[in-house]
């Protein structure tokens, strides 16, 4: 996706506001396996995925727990860093070679103060990220692993082709053996 499509899916901006925003966005590329964000660090950027896929995870003493996948058109940010300038909880790893659009959070905050349209765009971005978090929490609390896997099949089928099964099992909160059983049951 190009940057205009990504920005427009969040909130349609007047052309002058969109151009102001785009003047602060740069394109970057990183290889598969690159750690874009590290837990316990303030992340001064937000990103949009032009091409590729990423995962957010938290580490425990025993393993990493994946709780989010992002692909083309989606935003990557640490809400804790974005909102409070405090270290985030998550690490973000690129699962494919990725082309990204990057923006410094500080520049975005300045634009919020200068342009009400960009401030509204930022509010819509934050609201969309909050809804994603809410949906994830509700899904984890009230749906079975099978139901959550079926949701991936329905709403994010490309994940099943592009992401290692171990990460999908972690995302579902189950072992790879349990995921294999679910996959066999569905076939």
């Amino acid at each position: 996706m190009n940057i205009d499509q990504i920005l427009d899916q969040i909130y349609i901006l007047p052309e002058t506001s969109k151009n102001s925003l785009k003047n602060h966005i740069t394109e970057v590329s990183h290889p598969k396996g690159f750690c874009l964000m590290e837990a316990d660090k303030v992340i001064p950027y937000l990103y949009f995925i032009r091409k590729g896929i990423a995962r957010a995870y938290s580490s425990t003493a025993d393993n990493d727990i994946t709780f989010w996948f992002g692909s083309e058109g989606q935003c990557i940010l640490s809400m804790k860093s974005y909102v409070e300038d405090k270290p985030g909880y998550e690490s973000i790893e690129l699962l494919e070679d990725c082309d990204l659009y990057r923006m410094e959070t500080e520049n975005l905050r300045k634009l919020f103060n200068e342009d009400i349209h960009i401030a509204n765009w930022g509010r819509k971005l934050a609201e969309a990220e909050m809804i994603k978090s809410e949906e994830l929490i509700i899904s984890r609390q009230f749906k079975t692993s099978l139901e959550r896997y079926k949701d991936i099949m329905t709403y994010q089928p490309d994940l099943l082709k592009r992401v290692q099964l171990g990460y999908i099992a972690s995302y579902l909160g189950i072992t790879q053996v349990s995921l294999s059983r679910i996959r066999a049951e569905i076939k």
Side-chain angles (χ1 to χ4, degrees):
M1 293 183 84
N2 69 43
I3 192 61
D4 289 296
Q5 294 168 314
I6 292 170
L7 297 176
D8 288 348
Q9 75 183 359
I10 295 165
Y11 180 78
I12 303 292
L13 289 164
E15 208 57 36
T16 55
S17 298
K18 187 191 291 185
N19 287 334
S20 293
L21 196 56
K22 286 169 38 177
N23 286 336
H24 294 278
I25 294 172
T26 58
E27 291 186 44
V28 296
S29 296
H30 295 290
K32 175 181 178 177
F34 183 79
C35 185
L36 192 65
M37 298 181 182
E38 289 183 56
D40 302 320
K41 291 189 177 179
V42 175
I43 307 303
Y45 303 104
L46 61 127
Y47 298 85
F48 299 98
I49 304 173
R50 183 168 92 56
K51 181 178 148 287
I53 194 161
R55 76 175 180 120
Y57 66 94
S58 289
S59 296
T60 67
D62 300 327
N63 58 2
D64 294 340
I65 299 169
T66 300
F67 58 86
W68 172 85
F69 293 106
S71 58
E72 288 79 7
Q74 293 189 314
C75 181
I76 301 173
L77 79 156
S78 167
M79 284 302 283
K80 188 95 168 152
S81 292
Y82 176 74
V83 174
E84 297 183 329
D85 264 336
K86 292 185 179 174
Y89 308 107
E90 67 279 273
S91 293
I92 307 285
E93 176 189 15
L94 304 181
L95 301 180
E96 296 177 347
D97 293 344
C98 287
D99 296 330
L100 308 163
Y101 299 106
R102 179 178 76 186
M103 181 171 201
E104 288 186 39
T105 308
E106 186 58 35
N107 289 338
L108 184 56
R109 286 189 190 114
K110 287 177 187 171
L111 289 172
F112 290 163
N113 291 325
E114 297 170 4
D115 186 323
I116 189 66
H117 301 292
I118 295 175
N120 283 331
W121 177 90
R123 177 180 50 84
K124 288 297 211 179
L125 172 66
E127 288 171 354
E129 293 301 312
M130 183 198 63
I131 288 169
K132 285 182 204 172
S133 295
E134 186 177 73
E135 287 172 347
L136 176 64
I137 291 167
I138 290 168
S139 172
R140 290 238 176 196
Q141 291 294 316
F142 297 105
K143 290 186 177 183
T144 66
S145 301
L146 174 60
E147 290 170 324
R148 292 193 319 268
Y149 184 78
K150 285 181 178 178
D151 283 348
I152 291 173
M153 290 175 62
T154 302
Y155 302 111
Q156 298 175 296
D158 63 314
L159 287 182
L160 302 175
K161 297 174 190 158
R162 298 168 70 184
V163 174
Q164 295 175 25
L165 290 180
Y167 294 147
I168 298 219
S170 172
Y171 177 76
L172 295 172
I174 59 176
T175 64
Q176 270 191 262
V177 172
S178 295
L179 178 56
S180 294
R181 286 189 196 115
I182 286 172
R183 290 167 53 94
E185 184 180 317
I186 290 175
K187 288 184 181 180

